[in-house]
């Protein structure tokens, strides 16, 4: 036995020279090799890099690595030459037990781009285990009265190898009394029996020593021996007998503890105590059988003890001996073959290995996200596993090898819709009822810059009072980006352009981070009523994306211009008017007119005229039209009136606070006889012309009021729509425009032409025309004032230049 083992060691030393290399079968993308067990460290297995189509110089940069679940240290790859070699001792019996197929599955993973290969290394069995008998010495009791061809069952040897290496043959040492009978049953297991060929005589031969040798089929062959000690008994010549030598039983692996396996019934032809039978397990049975089964000595019932597991042991051979109570006792033998039937008592096992997480939302279809491995310890349909995936519309499972899957992308991702997916893999076996297991992996979607900043509305209207301090905050723009991190970091800038002769950036600026818009200089309503420009929002992505928003900044007027007096004619000054008046004129006659304009707008440009009291409190026969500036008589002139009349007219606008200007009117009173006749005719013609002009002005006033009413309605509707938007921050945020309404003293009409540019910096100068229905209070001279007001409105309708 020692020499056989030594020869086995020598053979193992020569095994590296006899390696059976099987490289190259690439079925289903798999490379197969084979290596004998017990190969020495460094034994060549295969050129794995070459067989997988990889270049040696890319193994390290691409992070070439080999993974094997539970067997990571048995095989290793030399990254310098791409050779797979044996790293540590491989014991096939320890690795796979007595399974016919034994292999080590390797997962080869390389990055940039990610590739996964499956390599299977078959472990070949060598004859490194000799046959082993349960005991070294076995005692057999034979009665001298036993008949020829009487049989005594023997326990065969066990060989841990498989195949030919475990195919045993037996030899019995030479004996005149016994020979060895070997029978092969239908399950390819051998039954050994010691058969009596010659009658025994205890008085001649009390003990017989035999040597049973078991020889396996390996090369070189290994052997095991057991010494058989046959003791010849001289009593009780009838032994218990069973109705059959082998009983075949099938049991479900989940039977309850104490379940009856079989009730043995043996008979003995003797009488009395010689026929009383006691049952027991053979001394050769393994310890595992004794822990799983129990036999009743008197009834012969064999029951389960403990939990049976098909995945651990699939069948049991139980040898039972029936002893009688004779002297000497005789025994009968039988074998119970218990075959376990698999049930679906093991749920599938699922493991997920993440590879490419997080995954970019622009990842192409088919990108590998994770590797999934499933296993089930059951057999047959109970061990056949199918996998399902939730959600199914974005991801799918691709089978790469038996029980190996890749989780790949099957649809386009959008981080802005869903930023994270909880992918659940469910493995279900084919048992009845089926068992299942789940595993999940969180798939985070990494952002790419695919969304431009967006404003809440394409255009904003902002109202700012003129003469603002430099650097005044007038509005804040805000854009929202649906992306994340730096892709959503928005910065703002002006879209530069020309406003007239100047650059837009000389008027306003935008803070890059906050979006606050500042007026860099005081704005002047008289110079610029509307400033229209665009603000650009750009994110910090690569490449950056952006969008624009339009701002319309209306500059609101303030009363910053005092009334300006216009000269009466080519030779006069702006602040002094001289006129000759005949003493014969009646009450209400217009003798002079003060003309003035205001560069402001609206109420700030609405002018009124007041006659200042004369020095010393003296009364004067003249008055001035409140809104026309026409100086007329309040009564008929007489000789008592001074020939030289000096009138001081105060011109005042309606701003807050009001601004004023003063005009001096010098009137010379002359008798009517001294006045030239031509002048009388001229006055008569002027009166007739004035009468005609009054009729014309009535129609002009009606037309102006109609146009003005339509303009006011349009402005009110525009303001209501603009005010429906949420207000912005700042003192000069979007608000309602200032409306001019009728006052207690009546409405007014005013028109002037502006030489200015708006936001576009192009187009002709705009003309302001504001008209309201006159509603002057009635009183002395009100008819004349209404006539003068009509003339003034006609004057405004003609739209004289600003210096008129």
């Amino acid at each position: 036995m020692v020499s056989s083992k030594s020869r086995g060691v020598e053979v193992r030393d020569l095994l590296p020279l006899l390696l059976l290399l099987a490289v190259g079968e690439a079925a289903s993308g798999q490379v197969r090799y084979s290596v004998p067990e017990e190969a020495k460290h460094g034994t060549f297995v295969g050129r794995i890099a070459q067989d997988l189509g990889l270049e040696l110089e890319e193994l390290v940069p691409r992070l070439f690595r080999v993974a094997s679940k539970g067997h990571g240290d048995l095989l290793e790859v030399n990254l310098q030459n791409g050779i797979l070699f044996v790293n540590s001792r491989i014991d096939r019996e320890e690795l796979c037990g007595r399974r016919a197929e034994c292999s080590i599955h390797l997962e080869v993973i390389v990055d940039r781009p990610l590739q996964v290969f499956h390599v299977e290394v078959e472990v070949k069995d060598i004859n490194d285990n000799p046959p082993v008998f349960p005991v070294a010495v076995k005692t057999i009791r034979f009665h001298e009265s036993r008949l020829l061809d009487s049989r005594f069952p023997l326990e065969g040897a066990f060989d841990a190898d498989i195949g030919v290496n475990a195919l045993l043959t037996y030899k019995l040492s030479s004996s005149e009394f016994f020979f060895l009978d070997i029978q092969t049953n239908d399950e390819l297991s051998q039954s050994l029996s010691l058969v009596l060929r010659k009658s025994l005589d205890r008085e001649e031969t009390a003990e017989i020593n035999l040597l049973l040798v078991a020889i396996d089929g390996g090369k070189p062959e290994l052997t095991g021996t057991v010494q058989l000690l046959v003791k010849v008994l001289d009593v009780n010549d009838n032994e218990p007998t069973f109705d059959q030598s082998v009983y075949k039983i099938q049991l479900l692996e989940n039977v309850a503890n104490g379940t009856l396996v079989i009730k043995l019934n043996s008979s003995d032809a003797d009488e009395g105590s010689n026929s009383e039978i006691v049952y027991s397990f053979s001394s050769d049975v393994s310890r595992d059988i004794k822990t799983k089964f129990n036999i009743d000595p008197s009834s012969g019932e064999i029951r389960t003890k403990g939990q049976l597991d098909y995945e651990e042991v699939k069948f049991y051979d139980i040898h039972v001996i029936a002893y009688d109570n004779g002297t000497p006792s005789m025994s009968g033998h039988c074998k119970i073959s218990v075959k376990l039937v698999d049930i679906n008592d093991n749920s599938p096992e699922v493991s997920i290995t993440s590879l490419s997480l997080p995954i970019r939302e622009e990842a192409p279809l088919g990108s590998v996200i994770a590797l999934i491995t499933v296993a089930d310890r059951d057999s047959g349909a109970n061990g056949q596993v199918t996998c399902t995936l939730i959600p199914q519309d974005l991801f799918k499972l691709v089978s790469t090898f038996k029980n190996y899957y890749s989780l790949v992308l099957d649809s386009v991702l959008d981080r802005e819709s869903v930023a994270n997916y909880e992918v659940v893999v469910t493995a279900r076996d084919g048992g009845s009822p089926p068992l299942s297991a789940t595993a999940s992996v969180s798939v985070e979607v990494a952002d790419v810059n695919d969304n431009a900043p967006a404003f809440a509305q394409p255009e904003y209207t902002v109202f700012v009072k003129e003469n603002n301090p430099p650097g005044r905050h007038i509005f804040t723009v805000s854009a929202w980006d649906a992306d994340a991190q730096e892709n959503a970091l928005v910065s703002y800038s002006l879209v530069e352009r020309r406003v007239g002769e100047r650059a837009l950036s000389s008027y306003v600026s935008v803070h890059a981070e906050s979006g606050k818009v500042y007026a860099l200089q005081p704005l002047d309503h008289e110079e610029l009523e509307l400033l229209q420009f665009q603000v650009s929002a750009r994110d910090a992505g690569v490449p950056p994306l952006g969008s624009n928003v339009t701002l319309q900044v209306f500059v609101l007027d303030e009363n910053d211009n005092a009334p300006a007096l216009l000269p009466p004619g080519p030779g006069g000054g702006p602040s002094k008017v001289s006129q000759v008046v005949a003493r014969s004129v009646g009450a209400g006659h217009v003798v002079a007119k003060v003309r003035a304009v205001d560069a402001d707008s609206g109420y700030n440009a609405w002018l009124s005229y007041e006659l200042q009291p004369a020095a010393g409190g003296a009364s004067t026969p003249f008055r001035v039209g409140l809104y026309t500036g026409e100086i007329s008589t309040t009564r008929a002139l007489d000789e008592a009136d001074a020939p030289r009349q000096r009138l001081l007219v105060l011109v005042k606008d309606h701003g807050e606070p009001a601004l004023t200007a003063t005009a001096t009117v010098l009137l010379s009173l002359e008798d009517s006889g001294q006045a030239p006749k031509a002048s009388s005719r001229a006055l008569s013609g002027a009166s007739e012309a004035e009468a005609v002009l009054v009729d014309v002005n009535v129609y002009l006033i009606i037309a102006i009021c109609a146009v003005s009413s339509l303009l006011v309605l349009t402005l009110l509707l525009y303001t209501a729509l603009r005010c429906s938007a949420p207000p912005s921050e700042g003192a000069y945020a979007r608000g309602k425009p200032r409306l001019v309404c009728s006052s207690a003293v009546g409405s007014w009409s005013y028109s002037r032409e502006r030489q200015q540019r708006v936001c576009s910096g192009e187009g002709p100068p705009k003309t302001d025309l504001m008209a309201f229905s006159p509603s002057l209070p009635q009183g002395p001279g009100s008819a004349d004032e209404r006539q003068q007001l009509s003339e003034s409105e006609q004057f405004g309708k003609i739209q004289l230049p600003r210096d008129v």
Side-chain angles (χ1 to χ4, degrees), residues 16-333:
L17 301 177
L18 303 175
L19 288 175
L20 182 59
L21 305 177
V23 179
E25 186 170 314
S28 302
Q30 180 187 6
V31 176
R32 296 178 61 91
Y33 300 101
S34 65
V35 62
E37 66 174 329
E38 303 296 339
K40 293 183 178 180
H41 173 76
T43 299
F44 173 88
V45 178
R47 300 185 182 276
I48 188 170
Q50 177 181 345
D51 296 334
L52 293 178
L54 302 174
E55 299 295 334
L56 295 179
E57 56 271 16
E58 67 180 2
L59 296 184
V60 174
R62 293 187 64 185
L63 302 179
F64 181 95
R65 56 194 184 277
V66 176
S68 176
K69 186 175 181 181
H71 313 300
D73 60 340
L74 298 180
L75 300 171
E76 189 58 66
V77 176
N78 188 332
L79 297 181
Q80 303 300 321
N81 53 24
I83 292 177
L84 180 66
F85 62 92
V86 176
N87 186 47
S88 61
R89 176 178 175 268
I90 302 176
D91 188 348
R92 188 189 185 283
E93 288 70 31
E94 179 181 349
L95 190 65
C96 302
R98 292 184 59 83
R99 291 202 300 268
E101 296 181 2
C102 182
S103 60
I104 301 173
H105 184 81
L106 303 178
E107 290 181 2
V108 179
I109 304 172
V110 292
D111 293 331
R112 306 169 187 168
L114 176 66
Q115 290 179 283
V116 180
F117 303 94
H118 295 279
V119 178
E120 189 166 311
V121 180
E122 181 183 5
V123 180
K124 295 290 187 178
D125 182 54
I126 65 171
N127 193 25
D128 59 338
N129 291 283
V132 177
F133 286 93
V135 293
V137 177
K138 181 175 180 62
T139 301
I140 301 173
R141 291 178 174 83
F142 260 78
H143 304 283
E144 61 178 351
S145 60
R146 293 287 291 268
L147 300 177
L148 295 179
D149 295 329
S150 296
R151 310 172 72 87
F152 186 90
L154 298 176
E155 183 75 7
F158 171 80
D159 196 320
D161 296 320
I162 63 170
V164 177
N165 295 330
L167 186 60
L168 302 180
T169 59
Y170 297 88
K171 291 182 181 180
L172 184 65
S173 61
S174 176
S175 173
E176 62 177 324
F177 294 102
F178 297 95
F179 68 89
L180 184 66
D181 182 41
I182 303 175
Q183 293 182 354
T184 302
N185 58 28
D186 54 353
E187 293 185 1
L188 300 181
S189 64
Q190 295 176 328
S191 296
L192 306 181
S193 297
L194 194 61
V195 183
L196 183 64
R197 68 166 67 181
K198 181 181 177 180
S199 299
L200 297 174
D201 187 358
R202 192 193 64 82
E203 287 72 18
E204 292 182 2
T205 307
E207 291 184 355
I208 302 172
N209 287 311
L210 300 175
L211 183 65
L212 179 61
V213 180
I215 307 169
D216 63 22
K219 293 183 179 180
E221 61 187 22
L222 300 178
T223 61
T225 61
V226 61
Q227 183 180 357
L228 303 178
L229 177 59
V230 181
K231 292 186 176 182
V232 182
L233 304 179
D234 191 28
V235 290
N236 196 13
D237 55 357
N238 288 289
E239 62 184 15
T241 59
F242 293 92
D243 54 357
Q244 59 188 73
S245 60
V246 178
Y247 297 89
K248 296 180 179 179
I249 306 296
Q250 285 190 346
L251 282 179
L252 295 176
E253 62 171 326
N254 66 335
V255 295
N257 185 18
T259 299
L260 178 65
V261 179
I262 189 175
K263 181 176 177 14
L264 297 174
N265 185 19
S266 64
S267 60
D268 195 313
D270 295 327
E271 293 181 352
S273 61
N274 292 332
S275 62
E276 295 175 358
I277 300 174
V278 177
Y279 301 92
S280 67
F281 290 137
S282 171
S283 60
D284 298 337
V285 298
S286 64
R287 183 177 180 181
D288 185 43
I289 292 177
K290 293 180 180 179
T291 59
K292 298 296 183 181
F293 301 93
N294 187 34
I295 187 170
D296 189 300
S298 59
S299 66
E301 291 182 350
I302 299 178
R303 296 182 179 272
T304 60
K305 182 175 68 173
Q307 185 65 38
L308 303 179
D309 191 354
Y310 175 85
E311 285 69 43
E312 293 182 359
V313 180
K314 296 177 175 54
F315 60 89
Y316 296 91
D317 283 340
I318 306 174
H319 292 270
V320 176
I321 301 177
Y323 296 96
D324 61 24
N325 288 327
T327 304
S329 177
M330 299 187 68
S331 62
H333 304 267

Side-chain angles (χ1 to χ4, degrees), residues 514-735:
S514 65
K516 291 185 177 181
V517 182
Y518 297 93
L520 299 180
Q521 62 181 16
L523 299 178
D524 188 357
H525 174 81
E526 289 71 40
E527 176 189 349
L528 187 67
E529 289 186 4
L530 173 62
L531 178 61
Q532 181 172 314
F533 58 92
Q534 287 187 325
V535 176
S536 175
R538 291 289 183 274
D539 58 32
V542 179
L545 300 178
S547 61
N548 295 342
V549 66
T550 300
L551 265 66
Q552 290 186 345
V553 179
F554 287 90
V555 183
L556 302 180
D557 183 53
E558 287 190 333
N559 193 26
D560 58 347
N561 290 281
L565 297 171
L566 298 178
S575 61
K576 184 177 293 185
V577 179
S578 299
Q579 186 68 37
V580 177
V581 180
R583 289 182 179 272
S584 61
V585 298
H589 183 77
V590 177
V591 297
K593 184 173 184 177
V594 176
R595 294 181 298 172
V597 295
D598 197 310
D600 295 320
S601 300
Y603 272 99
N604 298 328
W606 185 15
L607 302 181
S608 61
Y609 302 86
E610 298 178 5
L611 190 62
Q612 298 295 97
S619 61
T620 176
F622 300 97
R623 65 180 178 85
V624 65
L626 179 61
Y627 300 111
T628 62
E630 295 178 345
I631 300 175
S632 59
T633 58
T634 59
R635 57 178 174 79
L637 302 177
D638 52 29
E639 296 297 331
D641 295 322
R644 305 284 293 180
Q645 297 283 336
R646 179 183 177 87
L647 305 180
L648 189 63
V649 178
L650 178 67
V651 183
K652 181 173 64 173
D653 59 27
H654 285 71
E656 294 180 1
L659 301 180
T660 62
T662 303
T664 302
V665 180
L666 300 177
L667 299 179
S668 299
L669 304 184
E670 296 181 355
D671 293 333
S672 58
Q674 299 175 357
K677 294 181 179 181
S679 300
S680 299
R681 288 194 298 269
L683 291 174
S684 176
S687 299
E688 294 176 357
E690 289 178 0
V692 175
L693 187 60
V694 168
D695 295 334
V696 175
N697 284 342
V698 170
Y699 297 103
L700 290 177
I701 290 172
I702 294 174
I704 291 172
C705 289
V707 174
S708 301
S709 300
L710 181 61
L711 177 61
V712 170
L713 289 176
T714 303
L715 290 176
L716 288 175
L717 179 60
Y718 176 80
T719 304
L721 293 176
R722 281 301 181 187
C723 291
S724 62
S728 303
E729 59 176 303
Y732 294 95
R734 290 177 291 135

